[in-house]
Structure formats: C-alpha cells, structure tokens
Amino acid sequence: MKSYDVIVIGAGHNGMIAAATLSRKGLGVLLLEASPTYGGMAAGGEFAPGYAGPSLVHSLNGITPAILKEMQLDKFGLAPLPTMTTCLSHDDAPLLVADNYQIAAGILSREDEVGLAELTRRLKFQASILQQFLADTPPQEGAFPFSMKARLAKTAFNLKRSGKIEMQEFMRMALMCICDVVDEHISDERLKGLLAFDGTLGISLGPRSPTSLFGLYMRLATRSAGADHTNGYSINAAGRLIDAIYESTKAAGVEFGFGRKVRAINVNNGLAGSVETTDGETYSAGSIVSAIHPATTFLSFVGAPKLDTGFSREISSVRSRGNVSKLNLVLDRFPHIASIGGSGEGRYVLAPSANEVERNFNPSKYGELPDAPCFEFVIGKGDRDTVYLSAIIQNTPLNLKQGWESGSKRLQDLVVNCLERLAPGIKSSIVATRFFSPLDIESNFNVPGGHWHHGELQVDRLFSLRPVFGAANYRSPIDNLYICGAGTHPGGGLSGMSGLNVARALIRDKGRGGK
C-alpha cells in the first residue's frame, strides 16, 4: 500500500490548486481523479460530437491575485478576455454593457443614467462588504480567531463610517429581491432583465424571490476580487485557465492518478487514514482532501454509519438540484445578429425584462420548462474552420415533469428558434449540437443533482453555513479529512479560493507555516 502525506480527491481547479499549494510546502501529494483528464466541470473534451472544445464553461470570474501568485499562472499563457455583455431583445434595440453595469453603447434616458449610476455605486459598495470575506476561512464553533474578530470589527467600522444613509440602505436592501431594488432606480427593461438574469443565474430563485439580491452581491463581489485579466467571456476561457492550473500543478511535483475512481475513504476511530479506489487499490495518507461534492464525500465515501446522525441529516438536506442546462452549437459561419448588424466575441444575454426572467422561473417550481427561455451565449472560433456557440439556459429543473428524454429536444428547439429570430439563418448553419440537462451534468461530471455550485448559493448556505455548520472551515467532523470545492465557501465559479483556503488550513494544522 503506497503512502503519501496528502491525498486529494478530484482534479477540478480547486483540487489542483490545493494539491499544488501543499506540494510546494514539501508534502508528498497524490491527486486521484475518476475521469481520464483534469478540469472537472471546466474540463475540455468534445464540444459536440467530433469537435474538440470546452463542454460547460465559457466564462471566468474571480481568479484572485493570491491564486495567480501561488500558482504562478502568468507563466502559463493566461491572457485578457472580452468583458462586454450585449443585452438582446426581440423588440428593443440592444445595449452594450460593461462588467460594472455601465453602458458602453446604446441609449438610456437621462433619468435612467442617473438611477443606474446610483444603483451600481450602492451595489458595488454593499458587495465589497462581502468581498472582504471571500478569501477567509469561515469561523466555526470553538474556532473564532482574533483575526476574524478584527475583520468583523473593521467591516462594521467601515460600514458605519460610510454614513448613516449607506448603513441603513445596506440593512434595508440585503434581504430584498432584485426586482424591488432595480425598480427603485431604473425603468429600462433591458437593464432590469440583465440584472435579474445575472443575480439568479444558477440559483433556484426568481428575481421577485426574497433574498435574490444576494446572488447579485456574490457575482459583483467575486468579479471585483478577481485580477483584471481573469474576468471575461470566451469559448476557450476556461480551457486556458484549467490548462495553466494543470501545468502549474505538475510543475509543483504533484502525482496524478487519472481514471482512479474512489470507492471509499477508510475511517478508523474517528480518523481518516486511507482511500480505496474501485480498481482495488488502497492508498494511505496523513491527510485526505476531498474536492468533490460534499454529499458524495460524506455519505458515499465515508458513509452515514461513521458520522453523527445530525451531521448526516444536514448534509442530506443541502439543496443540490440543478436548474441550468447547456447547449453547444457548431456552426459553419458566424451568425449575423440582426439588431447589432453582425456578431463577435463577448457575451450575449436574452433576458428582455425582469418580468420575463420571473415568468421564466415560475414553471421551474413545478418541474416544467419555460415557453420563452432566458439564456446567455458566447460565440467564438472553433476547430476545423467552424464557429462555436455556447449557450447557458436558466430555469431548467432537474426533475422535469415530462422527463428529459423528450424535454431536451423541446428545450433545444425553443432556444434554437429564439436564436433564429435574433440571427436569421442560424438554423441552416448548424453543423453539430451537444446538449447537457442537469441530469446529463449529474451523470457526466459525477455531480449529485447536476448543480453547478454543488449546492444552492443562498443566504442559508453561505460562509459559516456552507456546506453546513460544523464543516464550513474546510475541516470535517472526521479527523484528517478536509473538504473543498464548489460546495464550500466561497462557492461556485472558478475563483479557486476553496482550494487555496483548504491548503492553508491543512498547513496550519500540520504546523508548516501556512498563512
């Protein structure tokens, strides 16, 4: 039985960042991955049958300067990305919107210009309060360090210093719904639709649901925390990042074990000591880090009998039913979007109004598909002189009443028909397609429920409550077993902070001088 200082399970970006950070501290690290390649949900592969490219992800956000420095990613070919979003509508002229929600092209009324400036200023300020905690290890009972107390005190002081009105507005707005907030400031339906779409993407809430504004806070906080050239949209964005992280992890001396699916984490007397794979191999380690879904880690690999009953019940209750689908199209030419007179790289969003986003959400509560899907897409050059169109479709429930066997065709037809209306002739240019429902994401990427964030990013599952209280500081109730990944703080996306944070926590525990 081979022995290591640390075994990391899962070669997604968080698993690789954790493994590389630990290896650079002189620890012997084995990284086990069930699939034949690295990257997890951001992995490349077949964009569509016979065409190579990324499967799911077409955006980057929140790769922090700390990750860039730790992983030395600038050495591995990262480059700036397009960051503009074009708001599309079937009836109104498009708007070109910068990442900070400022208008880059298009016409707004004077009242909306003033209202948008006030809204974005306030939202960015409020999101900055959350941003300060993205890189922190959440405190747990009996583990509330002085540094966290100092951070909270400083945050409270800065909030108070911002003035009575700003403090009152934060307290008033924090748990509001997006629609109520935007209605107070702007009347332009295109902007309302974009803010509503961005705030609820990947979350099972509509823009009129209480607390939905938190989704917009998290988006703004994560993107603001990222280094300048690591936010943006491109067909190849995630692939380049994942390749850079992999090369950095290899350079750090991590041993990879691809195609080695974990069957169990062996626990004796409350200590995690070894990992068994389905091919019959056993690997022992002083510490084990799981970078996959918390439910798989605890309920499948460890097993409920080795856990406290209350903890098992809490892990079982984490809401992880995916509601986002992905459609990839290979085209023989760039589509000509009629309203903008062409097309190019960048992000396009079809969410004509906040009310339309809400109407889009309502059927999903009952296991049904929307009649007029809201979605975003990115266009870019593919291989073999083709063009790739990558679309992310919101509010497509895991437990679809009609079943995904027939539902997938219906949803694809709805989206392609919307695209045809926006870009006449696009149907005839389609060479190949690939579609992922939440059910497909579950089976293809070993993610229970097919949830992109490994659990809802809502106020009851953030910071010290993510994934559950008692395991939110990357340590688990099982000694020597640590967790990271999208199911832990700060959540989904490609920030990589969960991987860096878990490595720092383990290093501190082992007395190797972690920060």
Side-chain angles (χ1 to χ4, degrees):
M1 180 168 60
K2 294 187 72 173
S3 182
Y4 299 84
D5 294 315
V6 183
I7 293 172
V8 178
I9 303 171
H13 68 292
N14 281 304
M16 289 192 287
I17 289 169
T21 305
L22 292 166
S23 185
R24 289 193 179 99
K25 285 293 184 178
L27 296 168
V29 183
L30 171 66
L31 202 165
L32 298 174
E33 169 57 45
S35 73
T37 189
Y38 55 88
M41 294 176 74
E46 275 198 328
F47 185 82
Y51 294 87
S55 298
L56 294 181
V57 183
H58 62 219
S59 65
L60 294 186
N61 62 290
I63 292 292
T64 64
I67 297 291
L68 288 177
K69 180 180 178 181
E70 180 64 40
M71 299 298 290
Q72 303 170 8
L73 295 181
D74 286 334
K75 295 181 180 179
F76 297 101
L78 288 187
L81 298 167
T83 57
M84 294 291 180
T85 293
T86 301
C87 299
L88 298 173
S89 170
H90 292 304
D91 303 311
D92 297 321
L95 278 179
L96 188 63
V97 182
D99 234 18
N100 57 4
Y101 294 110
Q102 298 304 303
I103 304 303
I107 299 174
L108 281 186
S109 68
R110 178 59 185 161
E111 291 81 4
D112 276 345
E113 287 179 356
V114 173
L116 179 62
E118 175 66 12
L119 174 62
T120 53
R121 182 196 64 78
R122 183 154 284 154
L123 287 175
K124 284 189 287 185
F125 167 72
Q126 294 176 359
S128 71
I129 296 169
L130 299 180
Q131 181 190 326
Q132 298 175 58
F133 298 94
L134 293 181
D136 286 333
T137 297
Q140 296 287 267
E141 186 178 5
F144 205 95
F146 175 79
S147 59
M148 179 58 65
K149 295 176 183 178
R151 176 69 57 82
L152 289 170
K154 182 179 179 181
T155 300
F157 175 75
N158 288 339
L159 183 58
K160 184 176 182 179
R161 191 176 61 176
S162 67
K164 183 177 180 180
I165 292 176
E166 292 300 332
M167 185 164 66
Q168 287 176 340
E169 284 298 287
F170 178 71
M171 299 300 292
R172 181 181 73 89
M173 292 169 60
L175 300 181
M176 286 178 67
C177 71
I178 293 172
C179 282
D180 286 347
V181 171
V182 298
D183 282 346
E184 291 177 355
H185 293 84
I186 55 178
S187 60
D188 189 280
E189 294 296 342
R190 298 163 296 179
L191 275 176
K192 288 183 182 181
L194 176 62
L195 289 161
F197 181 87
D198 282 353
T200 58
L201 183 60
I203 303 172
S204 295
L205 292 175
R208 294 198 181 280
S209 303
T211 76
S212 59
L213 188 64
F214 246 87
L216 200 54
Y217 284 157
M218 290 298 292
R219 180 183 179 88
L220 289 167
T222 305
R223 296 187 78 80
S224 296
D228 289 341
H229 64 297
T230 62
N231 288 330
Y233 312 95
S234 168
I235 288 293
N236 297 309
R240 291 188 185 121
L241 173 66
I242 291 299
D243 287 346
I245 291 174
Y246 173 65
E247 293 298 329
S248 178
T249 305
K250 277 201 310 181
V254 172
E255 179 181 337
F256 283 82
F258 292 115
R260 298 181 192 174
K261 186 175 183 179
V262 171
R263 187 186 71 82
I265 296 172
N266 293 322
V267 177
N268 292 301
N269 298 319
L271 296 171
S274 63
V275 171
E276 290 182 32
T277 57
T278 55
D279 60 4
E281 295 291 331
T282 300
Y283 306 90
S284 67
S287 300
I288 297 167
V289 176
S290 179
I292 61 174
H293 198 288
T296 303
T297 300
F298 291 112
L299 302 180
S300 297
F301 293 167
V302 173
K306 297 289 181 72
L307 299 166
D308 176 80
T309 302
F311 182 81
S312 295
R313 185 169 56 248
E314 278 199 80
I315 288 292
S316 300
S317 71
V318 172
R319 303 186 305 286
S320 190
R321 294 181 294 276
N323 73 335
V324 174
S325 294
K326 181 73 184 335
L327 176 63
N328 296 335
L329 300 178
V330 179
L331 312 174
D332 63 15
R333 59 186 180 274
F334 268 94
H336 184 90
I337 300 173
S339 61
I340 65 173
S343 67
E345 289 200 42
R347 176 186 184 229
Y348 301 84
V349 172
L350 180 64
S353 68
N355 285 339
E356 195 66 27
V357 177
E358 180 71 15
R359 281 192 288 268
N360 202 257
F361 165 68
N362 285 333
S364 69
K365 296 184 292 187
Y366 310 104
E368 299 170 354
L369 292 174
D371 291 324
C374 293
F375 57 93
E376 70 173 41
F377 62 94
V378 168
I379 306 168
K381 292 181 179 178
D383 63 351
R384 291 190 265 163
D385 296 321
T386 57
V387 174
Y388 287 175
L389 188 152
S390 169
I392 292 175
I393 311 150
Q394 174 68 307
N395 296 318
T396 60
L398 171 71
N399 300 317
L400 187 64
K401 188 184 297 183
Q402 74 177 93
W404 276 109
E405 187 172 343
S406 60
S408 61
K409 183 180 186 308
R410 178 172 174 244
L411 183 59
Q412 289 177 68
D413 288 343
L414 287 169
V415 173
V416 170
N417 287 337
C418 284
L419 289 169
E420 178 70 18
R421 187 174 169 187
L422 294 167
I426 196 172
K427 273 188 180 182
S428 63
S429 72
I430 296 174
V431 175
T433 67
R434 189 175 188 188
F435 176 76
F436 294 93
S437 70
L439 201 61
D440 296 323
I441 294 169
E442 179 180 62
S443 59
N444 281 270
F445 297 94
N446 301 313
V447 178
H451 201 294
W452 289 50
H453 303 311
H454 292 193
E456 284 291 306
L457 273 171
Q458 295 186 25
V459 291
D460 65 320
R461 291 297 178 206
L462 294 177
F463 202 49
S464 290
L465 301 174
R466 187 167 186 86
V468 297
F469 191 77
N473 62 355
Y474 310 106
R475 300 162 178 90
S476 81
I478 305 294
D479 285 344
N480 298 334
L481 175 59
Y482 297 75
I483 59 173
C484 67
T488 62
H489 172 75
L494 289 173
S495 76
M497 285 311 303
S498 294
L500 183 59
N501 286 350
V502 75
R504 288 174 170 175
L506 193 155
I507 290 165
R508 282 195 296 270
D509 291 350
K510 302 303 178 185
R512 288 180 176 259
K515 293 180 181 179

